[in-house]
Amino acid sequence: VSTGGGDLTDPRGTATRVDGGFLVNGRKPFASQAPVGAALSTMFTYDDPEDGRIVLNMAIPTASEGVTVLDTWDALGMRGTGSHDIELHDVFVADQQVLARRPHGRIDGPLQVILSIAMPPIAAVYLGVAEAARDRAVGLVTGTPRAEETLRQRQIGLMDTRLRVAAWALDGALAT
């Protein structure tokens, strides 16, 4: 289960140092595969006494005490991702579960690599949903008097243009 998209530079939640690790608290929206995932890959801010505010990348078992999957995801066309919110309340995370640390507000090299791999397939799904919605909208007016209305033709033209630009952007991202 990943909360990377919502936590890149300013994670939603805080870590507090305790003996042997951290207590974490926060709410993580859009946690993909939340109902079925065994481990949560997420980030929390921590005010380090020496380094100042940093971000800790952590692996947390979803069965940990204090982890609750909230039934919040009902996005048309995307229900299968199971991207429900996850709430964490006083969840203990051992030092060994901290996978990385980086300065707050910055995306480091490893995270940039992950994003370059993860974002095109995610964008492709959203583009496909948008294309299907466009096709459905056109199908609803085709053969009706509304199809001849200038406003409808303009709206369809705008949809086509924006979808074409989105497809070009996705093609460009995949070509690099």
Side-chain angles (χ1 to χ4, degrees), residues 69-139:
V69 175
L70 306 171
D71 188 11
T72 56
W73 190 247
D74 190 22
L76 180 65
M78 297 292 290
R79 288 185 190 101
T81 66
S83 298
H84 300 284
D85 291 6
I86 294 182
E87 191 168 69
L88 298 100
H89 180 72
D90 287 339
V91 177
F92 177 74
V93 179
D95 286 327
Q96 298 87 335
Q97 292 169 256
V98 177
L99 307 175
R101 56 187 287 143
R102 61 184 165 83
H104 183 269
R106 294 183 30 212
I107 298 176
D108 61 357
L111 194 52
Q112 289 176 3
V113 170
I114 291 167
L115 289 174
S116 70
I117 294 167
M119 294 317 292
I122 293 168
V125 171
Y126 283 105
L127 179 59
V129 170
E131 289 170 340
R134 179 260 180 223
D135 293 347
R136 178 76 174 131
V138 169

Side-chain angles (χ1 to χ4, degrees), residues 17 22 46 48-52 54-57 98-103 108:
R17 179 54 109 171
F22 298 88
Y46 172 62
D48 188 283
E50 295 175 17
D51 297 328
I54 62 170
V55 174
L56 300 174
N57 295 30
V98 177
L99 307 175
R101 56 187 287 143
R102 61 184 165 83
D108 61 357

Side-chain angles (χ1 to χ4, degrees), residues 1-3 28-41 62 69-70 73 78-86:
V1 178
S2 171
T3 65
K28 305 293 184 165
F30 311 120
S32 296
Q33 300 302 307
V36 296
L40 177 64
S41 175
T62 54
V69 175
L70 306 171
W73 190 247
M78 297 292 290
R79 288 185 190 101
T81 66
S83 298
H84 300 284
D85 291 6
I86 294 182

